[in-house]
Amino acid sequence: MTGRAVYLDHAASSPLRPEALAAERAYDQSEVAGANPNSLHTLGRAAARELDGARRALVGVLGGRFRPSDVTFTSGGTESNNLAVIGLAEGARGRESRRRRVVLSAIEHDSVLDLVGPLHERGFEVDLVRPSREGIVEAGALEAVLDGDCALVSVMYANNETGVIQPVPALARAAHAAGALFHTDAVQALGHVPLELADVDAVSVAAHKLGGPVGVGALVCRGRVPLRPLSFGGGQEQGRRAGTQDVRGALAFAAVAEACHAGLDAARELVAGRAERLVGRLCAPGTGIVATVASRVDRLPGIVSVMAPGLDSETMILALDQAGFEVSAGSACSSGSLDASHVLLAMGIPREEALGSLRISFDERVDEGDLERFADTLITIVAERGGARARRPRE
């Protein structure tokens, strides 16, 4: 690789924004730096007020009539999802013993799908709802599996691989009609699209997907909703999550969330335009590259999902890396897997096509000229590697 790297993997983790750095610097220089927000002394109470300010900022961004007291700070999206799915399922069953079933979509992040085993161990049945070919979990498909024994439904707000936005309000209403709770993983969506959360019981968010620090997230759960804690050893976060809170990280998270929310409309329009032009360039006739979902589908502005049938993701990723472009095949949390994406397979995409998928993700900080150079590079790689494979003699 020569020259600077062009980072196009924001859906895995987005580079720190100036607002996060400024918030961290302000905390480090303040008198509450290092103070435990659970202590009763003056600096402890001051740190607690700072933490409460971060809660107010987050619910202001989220909307949906959430309250600051609904915010439970965590170490990130994975912990938030674990606490939500298991904690809400246990809470619903504790309130009504017949609620022994959990419904998840088949395209959830691994931090949700990997809970199927632990849920079974706790005595829950789990059903997976498949999406349409365009990656949408439709309300009718959810309603078909709902019954009076369902404790919880969890469907992500926007998919972390395809960027497809789900009909969360309709899905939440369907869950409530069956008496079930509804949780959504909005880790990818926060700060990139307006959120409709009025019908949602709990939502998971994380800082590092929108330019905040790694290691801080939140589960925002309405106070009336039964939630069983998964960690013990302290009364922090109203007993929902034990452990001393990261005040510094929470303040940086809040600052970035507010900044992204304030500039959301302009950034969304700019990024969506760049993504549309990138898809048009990559998927032009003769390139050998196709879009994973149709352009008419509502998606996050900064996630582009394409496939090069006949090639494999690893080959393309390494070749792009050598050329100075950083992308991924799907979720970074399952990047060690050599199999096709479970998301694409659940959408009905043949395995041999899904094996050649790429996820290109960025925000308004990525230069359009870099995207054009990326497109030229990927098209060349696909042409060269695809041609070499076509010329390879049969064994």
Side-chain angles (χ1 to χ4, degrees):
M1 181 179 72
T2 59
R4 64 181 178 88
V6 178
Y7 185 73
L8 299 174
D9 200 16
H10 285 232
S13 195
S14 190
L16 279 172
R17 291 181 179 271
E19 294 84 0
L21 294 169
E24 291 176 334
R25 190 160 49 246
Y27 171 83
D28 292 339
Q29 296 171 352
S30 72
E31 63 176 2
V32 302
N36 190 317
N38 306 289
S39 298
L40 294 179
H41 50 61
T42 299
L43 291 184
R45 295 196 303 273
R49 287 193 295 272
E50 293 290 323
L51 200 59
D52 287 341
R55 299 185 208 277
R56 288 193 297 272
L58 278 179
V59 298
V61 168
L62 287 170
R65 300 190 300 274
F66 283 104
R67 300 177 178 178
S69 58
D70 295 336
V71 177
T72 297
F73 283 110
T74 67
S75 62
T78 293
E79 184 187 352
S80 295
N81 284 340
N82 276 231
L83 176 57
V85 173
I86 294 179
L88 290 172
E90 292 275 16
R93 184 174 60 180
R95 188 169 62 181
E96 195 174 356
S97 61
R98 67 190 176 104
R99 303 281 175 179
R100 295 179 175 273
R101 194 157 59 91
V102 173
V103 177
L104 312 172
S105 87
I107 57 172
E108 295 300 300
H109 187 270
D110 287 344
S111 60
V112 170
L113 288 181
D114 283 356
L115 298 176
V116 171
L119 285 167
H120 284 158
E121 292 171 0
R122 288 168 166 80
F124 289 96
E125 296 180 13
V126 181
D127 286 324
L128 299 182
V129 180
R130 294 175 64 90
S132 68
R133 170 57 185 82
E134 299 299 343
I136 300 170
V137 179
E138 297 172 344
L142 175 60
E143 290 167 350
V145 301
L146 290 176
D147 208 339
D149 62 350
C150 185
L152 172 71
V153 175
S154 182
V155 180
M156 65 195 338
Y157 204 99
N159 188 262
N160 55 299
E161 295 188 26
T162 64
V164 173
I165 297 173
Q166 304 300 327
V168 164
L171 297 172
R173 289 192 293 270
H176 291 160
L181 299 174
F182 185 86
H183 161 258
T184 187
D185 168 3
V187 167
Q188 288 292 346
L190 177 66
H192 300 295
V193 292
L195 302 179
E196 297 180 73
L197 300 172
D199 297 306
V200 169
D201 295 303
V203 54
S204 298
V205 291
H208 73 112
K209 303 292 187 178
L210 63 156
V214 174
V216 60
L219 174 64
V220 187
C221 181
R222 301 191 192 279
R224 59 174 170 75
V225 173
L227 178 71
R228 293 281 180 87
L230 300 185
S231 59
F232 306 91
Q236 300 92 342
E237 300 299 279
Q238 302 180 73
R240 290 180 165 182
R241 195 261 190 179
T244 303
Q245 303 93 327
D246 177 5
V247 179
R248 185 177 190 263
L251 292 172
F253 186 8
V256 166
E258 287 187 313
C260 289
H261 183 68
L264 190 150
D265 290 340
R268 185 183 188 187
E269 182 179 0
L270 185 150
V271 175
R274 290 179 178 175
E276 183 178 358
R277 289 188 290 275
L278 177 62
V279 172
R281 177 80 176 88
L282 290 176
C283 301
T287 63
I289 303 170
V290 296
T292 302
V293 295
S295 60
R296 67 180 181 275
V297 177
D298 194 15
R299 302 187 306 279
L300 294 178
I303 292 184
V304 170
S305 177
V306 297
M307 300 178 293
L311 295 180
D312 64 271
S313 303
E314 183 180 11
T315 296
M316 291 185 288
I317 290 170
L318 293 177
L320 286 165
D321 184 49
Q322 286 294 313
F325 298 98
E326 314 296 339
V327 302
S328 66
S331 173
C333 298
S334 55
S335 60
S337 173
L338 296 179
D339 202 359
S341 158
H342 73 275
V343 172
L344 303 188
L345 295 178
M347 290 165 55
I349 295 174
R351 183 175 181 275
E352 59 272 16
E353 295 182 20
L355 283 169
S357 67
L358 289 178
R359 180 186 70 182
I360 305 105
S361 52
F362 51 90
D363 62 22
E364 74 281 3
R365 294 173 288 173
V366 174
D367 183 75
E368 187 159 17
D370 286 337
L371 291 177
E372 292 173 357
R373 291 195 301 108
F374 166 78
D376 291 339
T377 302
L378 178 56
I379 290 169
T380 299
I381 289 171
V382 171
E384 292 175 348
R385 304 299 170 110
R389 175 163 294 194
R391 293 191 299 272
R392 188 180 303 159
R394 294 183 179 180
E395 296 179 356

